[in-house]
Amino acid sequence: MDTDMDTPQGVIAGHRPASRALATEAVHAGRDDLARQGLHAPPIDLSTTYPSYDSRGEAARIDAFAETGAELDGPPVYARLGNPTVARFETALARLEGTESAVAFASGMAALSAVLLVRASMGLRHVVAVRPLYGCSDHLLTAGLLGSEVTWTDPAGIADALRPDTGLVMVESPANPTLAEVDLRAVAHACGSVPLLADNTFATPVLQRPAEQGARLVLHSATKYLGGHGDVMAGVVACDEEFAGKLRQVRFATGGVLHPLAGYLLLRGLSTLPVRVRAASETAAELVRRLAADPRVARVHYPRIGGAMVAFEVHGEPHEVIANVRLITPAVSLGSVDTLIQHPASISHRIVDADDRRDAGVSDRLLRMSVGLEDVEDLWADLDQALTPVRTGARATMTTA
Ligand SMILES: *Cc1c(COP(=O)(O)O)cnc(C)c1O
């Protein structure tokens, strides 16, 4: 079998196309072999195991995987070692982020866990991190569930916080939920030889490609914008092939694999990612203008980079706004085609100690909204009626970065 022609892995190795624009990659990456196979939609391979009459050959391939973690040459062996449908999504995401490789996991938290385990297995258990992070990422580090020890600092303190056993520096930009931004290039410089992990869930590669700015690891909760329809849970790390090999070995040994159906849905989600992110960002920017001019709103957070996430603080009770929305769905998560709103201090960041949360700029009045693809006037009408009971105060202040 000519594996270069027949497997998506072969497409990476043997038929990597010349550089194409993001919108083109979004619909073609991970699918380059389909036309030659007489297919249009990518096949979903649900096999957990694969027949082979050559056990000597399998022994050699498993030895090679144990050595480098490189994707298996030739047909798959067992679904925990790799799946062709998931590999299509990985190929596509790596192309969009501009990295050599990407490794997919069952959730964003499984992806972050695998990164921490890779570094801990090398004796590098210390993590330097900048708040705010997504609530559960903060919790995983603070609680030391995987044996890591965290030093929290601001971006300017990173270089001083590094120790000989520092295995990772972690930032989110824009951060969940305040949309605070860090200068990724400056942070990457401060990290020296320690890998910088940038959580790019909020920006997506449409707005920002952290690997180009020096981040060695780009993490996504693919549950959010990459899937884009609120029906897939997944995580992925885009990185160089050397680190990807270690992540695949951890994934193989710990089992946080992505299901092939999820891989299929994610690949489909990527094809509309640029269109979705740009359309929702335009609507978000208009809602930001209206919120910032509204006397019921105390403060609006919106990053310089733009995007479809908006955070704002009301003068009155944030719980009332949540209780009053009708078109907008009051729910945690983000990045779906429909607009969601939630109260971070109650839900997404509840697990973070209240003082740490407030120190990170997550006020008890903060609401986080993920703007979807609805018409802007319908969204504003809903926000306007949901805000009505809130008592008015001074004009809103606008915060960027
Ligand atoms: C949701 C989220 C995560 C965790 O991802 P899951 O897919 O829910 O495990 C990590 N980082 C950010 C920024 C998130 O929003």
Side-chain angles (χ1 to χ4, degrees), residues 324-338:
N324 284 326
V325 288
R326 294 292 173 264
L327 176 68
I328 298 169
T329 303
V332 74
S333 198
L334 57 115
S336 186
V337 287
D338 58 321

Side-chain angles (χ1 to χ4, degrees), residues 107-109 134 137 172 176 199 201-202 221 223-224 233-234 334:
S107 69
M109 293 315 300
Y134 168 65
S137 303
E172 279 180 24
N176 188 351
D199 186 324
T201 300
F202 274 33
S221 168
T223 312
K224 317 293 169 54
M233 176 149 273
L334 57 115

Side-chain angles (χ1 to χ4, degrees), residues 23 50 52 55 82 107 111 149 167 177 192 206 236 263 274 298 308 361 379:
Y50 296 83
S52 168
S55 34
S107 69
E149 183 198 337
V206 177
V236 63
L379 287 175

Side-chain angles (χ1 to χ4, degrees), residues 35 49 68 71 83 187 301 328 351 366:
T49 190
T68 65
E71 281 186 295
N83 169 275
V187 165
H301 305 249
I328 298 169
I351 199 155
L366 189 79

Side-chain angles (χ1 to χ4, degrees), residues 11 46 54 72 82 84 87 109 133 147 225 280-281 298-299 353 366 374 396:
V11 171
L46 294 173
D54 176 16
L72 294 186
M109 293 315 300
L133 296 179
Y225 286 102
S281 300
R299 194 169 171 198
D353 174 80
L366 189 79
E374 300 93 333

Side-chain angles (χ1 to χ4, degrees), residues 341-364:
I341 193 166
Q342 64 109 16
H343 181 236
S346 296
I347 307 186
S348 66
H349 290 68
R350 186 70 190 172
I351 199 155
V352 180
D353 174 80
D355 289 334
D356 292 340
R357 194 169 64 221
R358 290 179 195 123
D359 286 350
V362 186
S363 131
D364 289 350

